[in-house]
Amino acid sequence: MGIEDKASECDDSEPSRKVDHTVSTHEEMQAPEETDVNLRSTDVSEPTEGSNLLDSNEKNLQQTPTEDSHLQRLRRTFACPPHGLLGRIVTNVTMVVLLWAVVWSITGSECLPGGNLFGIIILFYCAVLGGKLMGLITFPTLPPLPPLLGMLLAGFLIRNSPVVSDHVQIKHRWSSSLRSIALSIILVRAGLGLDSKALKKLKGVCVRLSMGPCLVEASTSALLAHFLLGLPWQWGFILGFVLGAVSPAVVVPSMLLLQGGGYGVDKGVPTLLMAAGSFDDILAITGFNTCLGMAFSTGSSIFNVLRGILEVVAGAATGSLLGVFVQYFPSSDQGNLAWKRAVLVLGLSVLAVFSSVYVGFPGSGGLCTLVMAFLAGIGWKSKKVDVGKIIAVAWDIFQPLLFGLIGAEVSIASLRPETVGCDRICGFGHSKIPWRKTTRGVWNGCIDSGVFSHPHHSPNWKSTDWFAGPKASPES
């Protein structure tokens, strides 16, 4: 064959190749569609027997809990070794017993019934338990009761229970020292919680709020004590400053909770109340010690007043120096910075409170602690939050001791019925004497004792004269 025949064969083969190519491309285009249809058909297909069994089991588990779930919970609760609620109970009881055992192994008889450390440990345990139980009491429309009320009641019951009070005894010096430590801790928390900007803006309101109510209440109590009870002016003001003092142990934790929740922070309400409550307490301590010095000292009254002013100046100056020192030491490049700062601040505050009593300026220790913590917080800025958390743990330990010891100071056996008028009041209740006659007896007793006649009362007058009738004059 020639060249022409080969060319014709090539021309005949090209159309067939084109047809084959077009057919293959058409089949490739149809293949995805067929696979989609197949997938859809499998999706719509009926469920298998295995899937039906799984679905039925899931539905049964979701509808009602089976007995197996209850058995599993019981097994988890009473598992060996125990964990969960039972594990926590065993751990807490072991820690409680271990604390007493370690102290007993070191001190011996001091940690046995009747010893001083035994009384402190039992009081601490009972105060914590009382606070927990009081927190469980709730009313529908009222907030939960504060735990400190349960701590006070626990100390009160320990002191006034006949059998318990014989074995739970705490020395007065230990009680006073523990309360002073608790005071220094709560003043440190107050100083660190103050906002410098809000305090600068509300400094005038803070001074009025801290001094006004305290002085007015102290003066009013002194007037009533002088003209109704016959107390001298010094003792009347001592009573007034005791009644007019605001407890920072109650105010400061509540304000820190509000501050943590963001309530009143924009207007500086928590800072205002914490600062005012702390300065109010310091003012009451200073006034109490000033009047107490005037009642017992033989020096001039002017010197005692100047001594009170000197306490304030010395406390503020010492607190400023210590606050500047704590800002830079420990330095910021050291490790465990928050713990070192917390230990340093707490140590200096406790030293300030106790040394001020030793020197003879009891009111300057609290003011020194407050000023030092405030200046330290300004220097630490945002890092003071970490220090505050560590000091909050120390407060959680000393809070039950503080309120438990305060409740244990109230002794019903040491109160004489004629002093508080209980015998007369109970007599009125049993004899069904009307309140009009009771009021008349109080009025006659005041007139007969000379309460409203002259400022210097008769030394023979007693509180029982309130309920006595008018005495016959010697002439009759």
Side-chain angles (χ1 to χ4, degrees):
M1 295 178 64
I3 298 174
E4 294 178 358
D5 295 334
K6 292 182 181 179
S8 62
E9 288 177 2
C10 293
D11 294 337
D12 293 336
S13 62
E14 287 179 359
S16 63
R17 292 177 182 175
K18 291 181 180 178
V19 173
D20 294 337
H21 181 69
T22 54
V23 171
S24 62
T25 54
H26 181 68
E27 290 177 355
E28 291 175 358
M29 293 176 64
Q30 286 183 346
E33 294 180 358
E34 291 177 357
T35 54
D36 293 339
V37 173
N38 292 331
L39 290 173
R40 290 174 185 174
S41 63
T42 55
D43 293 337
V44 182
S45 63
E46 295 181 358
T48 61
E49 184 177 357
S51 63
N52 287 331
L53 291 174
L54 291 174
D55 293 339
S56 62
N57 291 332
E58 291 178 357
K59 289 179 181 178
N60 292 330
L61 290 173
Q62 291 176 358
Q63 286 175 359
T64 56
T66 59
E67 296 181 357
D68 295 336
S69 62
H70 295 290
L71 292 175
Q72 289 177 0
R73 291 178 183 176
L74 291 175
R75 288 174 182 173
R76 290 177 182 175
T77 303
F78 298 100
C80 185
H83 49 276
L85 179 60
L86 183 60
R88 290 196 297 270
I89 293 174
V90 172
T91 303
N92 293 333
V93 172
T94 304
M95 293 177 66
V96 167
V97 176
L98 183 62
L99 175 61
W100 173 83
V102 170
V103 178
W104 169 80
S105 64
I106 297 172
T107 60
S109 61
E110 280 291 322
C111 206
L112 294 177
N116 188 49
L117 295 178
F118 179 82
I120 294 174
I121 292 175
I122 295 300
L123 179 68
F124 176 77
Y125 289 161
C126 294
V128 172
L129 182 60
K132 296 291 185 182
L133 294 177
M134 189 60 64
L136 297 176
I137 301 175
T138 57
F139 297 96
T141 58
L142 297 175
L145 296 175
L148 60 90
L149 180 59
M151 299 173 188
L152 288 171
L153 292 176
F156 176 79
L157 293 175
I158 289 175
R159 178 63 182 273
N160 296 282
S161 299
V163 179
V164 178
S165 60
D166 296 335
H167 297 87
V168 181
Q169 298 178 359
I170 302 174
K171 295 180 181 179
H172 176 72
R173 183 177 180 182
W174 281 77
S175 176
S176 177
S177 300
L178 290 173
R179 283 179 289 170
S180 299
I181 294 173
L183 175 64
S184 62
I185 292 173
I186 198 61
L187 288 178
V188 169
R189 293 194 70 191
L192 292 176
L194 295 179
D195 186 3
S196 58
K197 296 180 180 178
L199 189 62
K200 184 178 180 180
K201 183 172 62 176
L202 300 172
K203 57 180 181 294
V205 181
C206 180
V207 172
R208 294 195 298 269
L209 187 61
S210 60
M211 298 184 64
C214 182
L215 294 177
V216 170
E217 190 172 355
S219 302
T220 304
S221 301
L223 288 172
L224 294 176
H226 181 73
F227 289 108
L228 290 181
L229 300 178
L231 295 178
W233 284 111
Q234 294 91 340
W235 288 98
F237 275 100
I238 289 173
L239 176 63
F241 281 114
V242 169
L243 296 176
V246 174
S247 176
V250 179
V251 176
V252 173
S254 302
M255 292 301 104
L256 289 175
L257 287 176
L258 293 178
Q259 191 176 35
Y263 297 101
V265 177
D266 295 336
K267 296 188 179 294
V269 175
T271 295
L272 175 64
L273 293 179
M274 282 192 294
S278 302
F279 283 117
D280 182 281
D281 188 66
I282 293 168
L283 177 62
I285 294 173
T286 304
F288 173 83
N289 289 294
T290 301
C291 296
L292 193 65
M294 294 171 65
F296 284 100
S297 65
T298 57
S300 62
S301 301
I302 299 176
F303 173 76
N304 290 312
V305 174
L306 293 176
R307 182 181 178 182
I309 298 174
L310 183 61
E311 286 186 11
V312 176
V313 175
T318 307
S320 300
L321 293 175
L322 293 178
V324 174
F325 174 80
V326 174
Q327 285 183 358
Y328 300 100
F329 299 97
S331 56
S332 58
D333 58 343
Q334 298 183 22
N336 297 325
L337 190 60
W339 279 96
K340 291 181 180 179
R341 286 174 173 175
V343 171
L344 190 61
V345 169
L346 286 177
L348 290 174
S349 63
V350 173
L351 179 63
V353 171
F354 281 94
S355 61
S356 63
V357 177
Y358 181 78
V359 173
F361 291 162
S364 61
L367 183 60
C368 173
T369 300
L370 187 66
V371 174
M372 176 187 64
F374 174 65
L375 293 178
I378 293 176
W380 296 338
K381 297 180 181 179
S382 61
K383 294 182 181 179
K384 70 177 182 179
V385 178
D386 298 331
V387 181
K389 292 179 181 178
I390 298 172
I391 296 175
V393 175
W395 172 245
D396 292 336
I397 297 173
F398 278 89
Q399 184 185 19
L401 288 173
L402 173 64
F403 290 105
L405 290 170
I406 292 174
E409 289 295 326
V410 181
S411 177
I412 297 178
S414 61
L415 295 176
R416 299 175 60 187
E418 62 270 13
T419 304
V420 295
C422 292
D423 55 345
R424 292 293 184 173
I425 294 173
C426 295
F428 290 142
H430 290 294
S431 61
K432 298 182 180 180
I433 296 177
W435 285 105
R436 186 177 299 175
K437 189 172 290 187
T438 302
T439 307
R440 188 180 303 164
V442 174
W443 179 261
N444 292 334
C446 292
I447 293 177
D448 184 67
S449 62
V451 169
F452 301 116
S453 59
H454 55 82
H456 302 286
H457 312 310
S458 173
N460 298 323
W461 179 77
K462 300 178 181 179
S463 60
T464 55
D465 294 337
W466 286 0
F467 302 95
K471 297 179 182 178
S473 61
E475 296 177 357
S476 62

